[in-house]
Amino acid sequence: MSAAETSAAPAAETERLARTWATPPGLWGWLTTVDPKEIGKRYIVTAIGFFVLAGLLAAVMRAQLARPESGLISPDRYNQIFTMHGTTMMFLFAVPIMEAMGLYLVPLMVGSRSMAFPRLNAFSYWMYLAGGLFLWIGFVMNVGPDVGWFAYVPLSGPEYGAGKRADFWAQMITFTEVSGMAAAASTATTIFKMRAPGMTLARMPLFVWAQLVTAFMIMLAMPAVMLASSFLISDRLIGTHFYNYAEGGSTLLYQHLFWFFGHPEVYIIFLPGLGMVSEITQTFCRRSVFGYPAIVLSLLATGFLAFGLWVHHMFATGLPHMGDSFYTAASMTIALPSGVQIFCWLATMWDGKPRLATPMLFVVGFIITFVMGGLSGVMLASVPLDTQVHDTYFVVAHFHYVLIGGAVFPLLGGLYYWFPKAIGRMPNERAGKLSFWLIFLGFHTAFFPMHILGLWGMPRRVWTYPQDMGWGGLNLLSTLGAYVLATGVLVYLVNFAMAYRRGRIAGPNPWGGGGLEWATASPPPSYNLPRPPVVEGREPLWMSPGGPATLQGLSVEHREVLLTGLVDAEPDVRHGSPEPSIWPFITTLSVSVLFVGSVFDEWWLVWGSIPFALCILGWFWPKKGHSKRIGAAEKNIPGALA
Ligand code: HEM
Ligand SMILES: [Cu+2]
């Protein structure tokens, strides 16, 4: 067969492919699908649902805080509400949605038919859904956790945390972390082994790099918090003494375990956001991003450094001075890699005359807001200042600047940017711009005053404050800002809902992007691309606007994916990819019974593991798969596979 060519696949071939990769129709298909795009979309919609719920809780908090001595909600409800808000935002919205963007986009961007462990992706989604429902059902039944999103002991321990509330928090953590690690393992493996031929590491899109670093951070950080929450639950249920000072345990151990996860967590949330910013910036500036190697190195450096800062959350616990100084220095150092990336984007914009469409507006909003959040972060890294403003609204302002500025703005830009790809229709630009301005101005009105309130001494996690403190005015302003922000989010989502039904048809590449995700139809067919593309540069579509050259010979009769070499992405193995399967769903049911039951009685752990073991047996029951190594002669990117 001939060398690589840009021929379109004949219709018979794509029809056969569509049948091979189809998801069964109806409810059965919904429960059994292993298509990463289906799972990614579902994940994203669910996460947006949790974002809206947690946002409503924020609206309630802001209503309560708008006036001094307000009695809108009771202190006990307030405790549950801020805990649910923080917990939902971090564990059920931010991390899952960032991973889900990867599940949807990574296979398209690397030009693969599917992902490495499609059934594991499905399992990840079901586990996430189960954990989220568990937490929210608890909240509705008045057993919502009330111990803050980091659930410090001894407050959350057996002595002070009576009832089941803290158990609900701890077990929800186990659910979501299992889910998070499953998705991360699949993403990392896909990136390493399933890139299109020719997509060497140095040609990988920056969003894919960001997802890779994030996946490793998830796999390294999440076990720490699972340990923290499992020790907590066993202290509470079976009387172990991990955190019991009187019996030789340690309360500080909890903080170390939690923040060894908790600090990397914030980078897990915003590194994918940085990846989106790079993609959007280069498309709207119509040039490849300035300083690709510098950006990749910064992502890697952030990933490593993020594990060396956790103690800055514990400055107020009275650590040795040596420790204080070390973690101050480390916390300041991490500003450098982020700074490098900001300069790279600015240089790209400088050179590129950016087109200020909605995604790009969110990028600009991100740069402004994130730099401000970074500056208050560097201030907090200094121990004397931190001991002054610890647990005040200054900290609440800081982390919303980095979380909303650093992750939510890029995410809103990214969702808008890839919406036409996933749905096939364009959102309305005027509504998009309106939503941006409402969100941006609302955000700063809501959160900037909190810096001042914090410096004036207003503590966080208080349900109200006395009239004569003089905090009323700024709090009212902050509440108004929050409602403007909420209106902006409403406009943003309504715009999507309208576009979903009536938007202009997008076509494969509405923004003129250069990455492989734009080479296929919108929405993409179940098999992604008819034939594996052969990649010759970082922006394959800009190099050959007619579409990249393709490779023939991958099976269309069976679900077959092409595995390639880790560094150079030479064709290596053809590998069978799983058919739709009900096992991930059933396995999740069995794990859920075990996890939920164990909150009430420790014996569920023992008996519950039997159905779980049976499920695993069913899942991994040997099937006729196939896997064929590709001969040495064909490795150098031929036009056809043997
Ligand atoms: C959408 C607009 C938002 C508003 C108006 C808002 C408002 C608030 C307020 C007023 C508090 C402080 C409660 C207190 O200390 O008494 C708070 C806490 C918190 N928020 Fe938000 N928030 C928003 C979005 C977010 C997002 C997007 C995230 C994360 C991705 C987030 C994460 C947190 C966390 C982790 C806490 C700490 C909870 C705790 O103290 O345990 N928030 N938020
Ligand atoms: Cu930190």
Side-chain angles (χ1 to χ4, degrees):
M1 273 183 251
S2 64
E5 48 186 318
T6 39
S7 60
E13 194 178 318
T14 53
E15 245 165 58
R16 186 72 189 91
L17 268 172
R19 254 185 297 142
T20 304
W21 288 88
T23 294
L27 179 67
W28 183 250
W30 203 76
L31 294 176
T32 57
T33 184
V34 289
D35 182 343
K37 295 184 293 302
E38 276 307 309
I39 293 163
K41 265 198 295 200
R42 197 176 290 175
Y43 232 126
I44 292 170
V45 171
T46 313
I48 292 179
F50 281 120
F51 173 66
V52 170
L53 286 175
L56 290 175
L57 294 182
V60 174
M61 286 193 284
R62 283 315 323 166
Q64 163 70 17
L65 294 171
R67 295 179 298 119
E69 290 161 43
S70 146
L72 204 61
I73 40 178
S74 69
D76 179 58
R77 262 288 155 189
Y78 190 85
N79 289 347
Q80 287 186 62
I81 288 181
F82 75 68
T83 305
M84 286 294 290
H85 164 77
T87 303
T88 302
M89 283 294 190
M90 300 302 269
F91 295 105
L92 299 175
F93 161 65
V95 176
I97 203 166
M98 290 302 185
E99 286 199 281
M101 292 294 278
L103 296 186
Y104 189 91
L105 289 167
V106 163
L108 289 170
M109 287 184 152
V110 302
S112 162
R113 288 220 192 293
S114 181
M115 288 184 74
F117 309 118
R119 289 173 300 182
L120 197 60
N121 293 348
F123 176 68
S124 160
Y125 173 75
W126 295 119
M127 282 296 284
Y128 157 66
L129 184 66
L133 289 177
F134 172 62
L135 183 75
W136 273 80
I137 290 172
F139 176 60
V140 172
M141 295 172 59
N142 202 28
V143 272
D146 53 358
V147 285
W149 86 278
F150 35 83
Y152 276 170
V153 290
L155 184 62
S156 61
E159 201 177 336
Y160 299 99
K164 285 288 165 205
R165 288 179 173 182
D167 299 306
F168 270 70
W169 181 87
Q171 204 60 313
M172 183 281 304
I173 296 295
T174 319
F175 270 105
T176 52
E177 310 306 75
V178 167
S179 146
M181 283 192 284
S186 183
T187 304
T189 314
T190 305
I191 296 175
F192 275 153
K193 285 301 294 174
M194 297 175 78
R195 301 194 310 275
M199 187 182 280
T200 59
L201 284 182
R203 290 176 183 164
M204 234 159 68
L206 287 165
F207 177 75
V208 176
W209 267 112
Q211 284 284 337
L212 180 65
V213 177
T214 307
F216 273 94
M217 293 180 71
I218 288 174
M219 290 186 280
L220 293 172
M222 287 195 171
V225 72
M226 276 180 75
L227 217 54
S229 66
S230 307
F231 286 173
L232 176 62
I233 242 187
S234 77
D235 271 13
R236 294 176 54 91
L237 288 174
I238 52 175
T240 51
H241 295 296
F242 290 108
Y243 305 128
N244 181 356
Y245 197 75
E247 298 289 337
S250 158
T251 41
L252 271 190
L253 170 67
Y254 182 88
Q255 295 201 17
H256 281 296
L257 283 175
F258 186 88
W259 288 114
F260 187 77
F261 146 83
H263 186 83
E265 161 96 338
V266 299
Y267 293 86
I268 287 169
I269 291 171
F270 93 84
L271 282 189
L274 302 187
M276 296 176 199
V277 168
S278 291
E279 299 291 336
I280 295 171
T281 305
Q282 64 180 13
T283 294
F284 289 95
C285 295
R286 303 218 122 270
R287 58 152 288 165
S288 50
V289 81
F290 179 87
Y292 177 97
I295 294 186
V296 171
L297 288 175
S298 312
L299 289 171
L300 289 168
T302 312
F304 278 104
L305 283 173
F307 284 92
L309 314 185
W310 79 94
V311 175
H312 68 202
H313 296 270
M314 300 163 62
F315 282 155
T317 58
L319 298 159
H321 282 310
M322 202 35 208
D324 280 353
S325 324
F326 177 84
Y327 287 99
T328 294
S331 305
M332 293 186 171
T333 317
I334 199 144
L336 298 177
S338 311
V340 166
Q341 297 192 60
I342 302 243
F343 283 114
C344 290
W345 296 317
L346 289 178
T348 313
M349 291 179 205
W350 185 275
D351 189 60
K353 298 191 191 63
R355 190 153 63 86
L356 283 180
T358 306
M360 197 60 203
L361 283 178
F362 277 107
V363 166
V364 175
F366 148 78
I367 292 185
I368 297 170
T369 312
F370 182 66
V371 167
M372 291 173 72
L375 290 178
S376 59
V378 174
M379 290 164 76
L380 284 170
S382 112
V383 178
L385 187 120
D386 184 68
T387 25
Q388 282 298 314
V389 297
H390 181 74
D391 264 347
T392 69
Y393 263 86
F394 189 87
V395 175
V396 178
H398 157 70
F399 69 70
H400 284 89
Y401 263 76
V402 282
L403 285 170
I404 297 186
V408 177
F409 281 9
L411 178 73
L412 295 178
L415 285 172
Y416 197 100
Y417 175 63
W418 283 294
F419 180 93
K421 175 50 56 188
I423 305 299
R425 292 174 183 274
M426 298 298 286
N428 179 296
E429 261 300 285
R430 281 183 45 204
K433 287 189 171 139
L434 176 67
S435 68
F436 166 77
W437 285 110
L438 289 172
I439 291 172
F440 182 74
L441 297 174
F443 169 81
H444 285 275
T445 318
F447 289 95
F448 195 80
M450 290 186 192
H451 291 111
I452 304 168
L453 284 168
L455 292 173
W456 286 351
M458 179 171 170
R460 66 191 277 204
R461 298 174 165 178
V462 287
W463 70 298
T464 194
Y465 48 91
Q467 172 105 49
D468 25 325
M469 295 309 290
W471 298 336
L474 284 183
N475 268 300
L476 184 62
L477 182 66
S478 167
T479 299
L480 291 176
Y483 289 160
V484 174
L485 164 56
T487 314
V489 173
L490 189 70
V491 173
Y492 183 92
L493 293 178
V494 169
N495 187 17
F496 276 6
M498 311 263 281
Y500 183 77
R501 301 192 163 276
R502 293 200 285 279
R504 192 161 48 78
I505 299 293
N509 192 1
W511 310 112
L516 283 181
E517 78 270 31
W518 305 107
T520 182
S522 313
S526 54
Y527 49 84
N528 289 353
L529 280 165
R531 288 173 182 172
V534 177
V535 173
E536 277 157 3
R538 268 181 215 142
E539 291 87 22
L541 288 205
W542 287 349
M543 300 182 69
S544 41
T550 57
L551 206 57
Q552 294 183 37
L554 207 56
S555 173
V556 294
E557 320 276 315
H558 313 281
R559 294 188 170 219
E560 193 174 71
V561 291
L562 180 62
L563 305 189
T564 52
L566 192 145
V567 177
D568 292 331
E570 297 160 342
D572 189 7
V573 174
R574 325 138 150 279
H575 194 66
S577 184
E579 300 284 335
S581 161
I582 192 67
W583 287 110
F585 180 71
I586 300 181
T587 308
T588 304
L589 288 183
S590 75
V591 180
S592 303
V593 169
L594 185 160
F595 278 3
V596 175
S598 69
V599 166
F600 300 95
D601 185 341
E602 65 279 10
W603 280 99
W604 283 81
L605 275 181
V606 179
W607 303 121
S609 56
I610 296 170
F612 172 62
L614 294 177
C615 286
I616 292 294
L617 215 62
W619 182 333
F620 290 103
W621 200 259
K623 292 168 203 71
K624 253 205 315 196
H626 72 290
S627 191
K628 181 167 176 262
R629 198 156 282 283
I630 286 160
E634 307 152 281
K635 277 204 173 182
N636 302 324
I637 310 175
L641 303 166

